[in-house]
Amino acid sequence: MKRRGFLKTARLAFLATGIAWSAVAEKNKGKPNIILILTDDLGWSDIGCYGSEIATPNLDKLAAGGIRFTQFHNTAKCFPSRACLLTGLYAQQNGQGLTPKNFVNCVTLGEVLGSAGYRTLASGKHHGTQNLRDLGFDRYYGLRDGNCNYFNPGKQRPGEGIPVDKEPGRRVWCIEEQTLRPYTPAEKDYYATDDFTNRAIK
């Protein structure tokens, strides 16, 4: 399936201000599928359905057939905003107030939707300390850390310049139940955003 086909298959989508969380209603066909796309540094009017001058037809189709937030707020920081969306609680309540830590006092979207008969999938940046597989998601591929080099998040590859934006011991990735520190893709033409999208489609 190609990227456009993936976006066209959803019957319900939540668009917010990257990780893609998906919940497929396999056990109860009467329930809608859910795709939630969370991106960093996206202005509210940067996609077409909110008035952007940039054409975003596939996202606009999802919005037309789904739900659009009109009063969505964030914490002005990446990881607590993600934690709030993932749990429905303020960051101070779920343990994510100051720095990323293990979640406390909460259940996640993965756990709630899984108990309702959904298959839950995640691809992209999580920015936490736990593998999403341990937080109710059936599948997860992505950057567990907060940021990385898009072209090579891991160690220097043969014939390659020293990658920028490196910190020893960071750039933790999760591939299903595995946690890798760091993850060095073999492909010389690697680009993280394309990889996250391709994994989501698969």
Side-chain angles (χ1 to χ4, degrees):
M1 179 183 289
K2 300 218 183 266
R3 185 181 307 194
R4 289 183 182 184
F6 170 71
L7 292 175
K8 288 178 182 177
T9 59
R11 288 179 281 166
L12 175 68
F14 291 78
L15 300 180
T17 88
I19 192 166
W21 295 314
S22 175
V24 182
E26 292 185 319
K27 296 177 185 173
N28 296 299
K29 296 192 183 225
K31 294 183 179 180
N33 292 329
I34 301 167
I35 296 178
L36 181 111
I37 302 169
L38 177 70
T39 62
D40 292 336
D41 304 319
L42 180 72
W44 68 271
S45 63
D46 287 348
I47 59 176
C49 64
Y50 289 107
S52 175
E53 66 276 6
I54 300 168
T56 57
N58 292 316
L59 293 174
D60 297 348
K61 286 179 185 176
L62 284 173
I67 296 172
R68 292 191 306 153
F69 292 138
T70 58
Q71 292 294 318
F72 183 85
H73 302 275
N74 64 46
T75 68
K77 285 180 76 176
C78 173
F79 76 88
S81 294
R82 291 167 185 273
C84 293
L85 193 57
L86 189 61
T87 65
L89 296 175
Y90 289 115
Q92 294 84 353
Q93 294 173 298
N94 62 34
Q96 309 300 311
L98 298 174
T99 59
K101 296 179 182 176
N102 286 355
F103 283 95
V104 296
N105 306 321
C106 64
V107 294
T108 68
L109 281 175
E111 292 167 325
V112 171
L113 291 171
S115 69
Y118 280 87
R119 179 169 160 76
T120 54
L121 316 166
S123 179
K125 171 187 165 184
H126 167 45
H127 201 167
T129 61
Q130 295 165 277
N131 187 329
L132 287 175
R133 288 281 300 265
D134 299 324
L135 296 171
F137 285 85
D138 296 313
R139 308 218 40 201
Y140 175 51
Y141 172 85
L143 173 68
R144 201 191 75 186
D145 264 330
N147 61 52
C148 74
N149 181 313
Y150 282 80
F151 301 96
N152 178 7
K155 296 180 180 178
Q156 183 178 3
R157 296 175 290 208
E160 178 181 71
I162 298 173
V164 297
D165 195 28
K166 299 295 176 193
E167 293 180 28
R170 289 210 44 207
R171 312 304 170 243
V172 180
W173 283 65
C174 294
I175 301 176
E176 301 301 352
E177 68 280 348
Q178 295 181 11
T179 298
L180 306 172
R181 184 189 306 245
Y183 169 61
T184 306
E187 305 89 343
K188 293 294 180 69
D189 62 345
Y190 180 86
Y191 190 66
T193 302
D194 291 338
D195 188 26
F196 295 153
T197 302
N198 292 335
R199 295 282 181 151
I201 291 168
K202 288 178 182 177

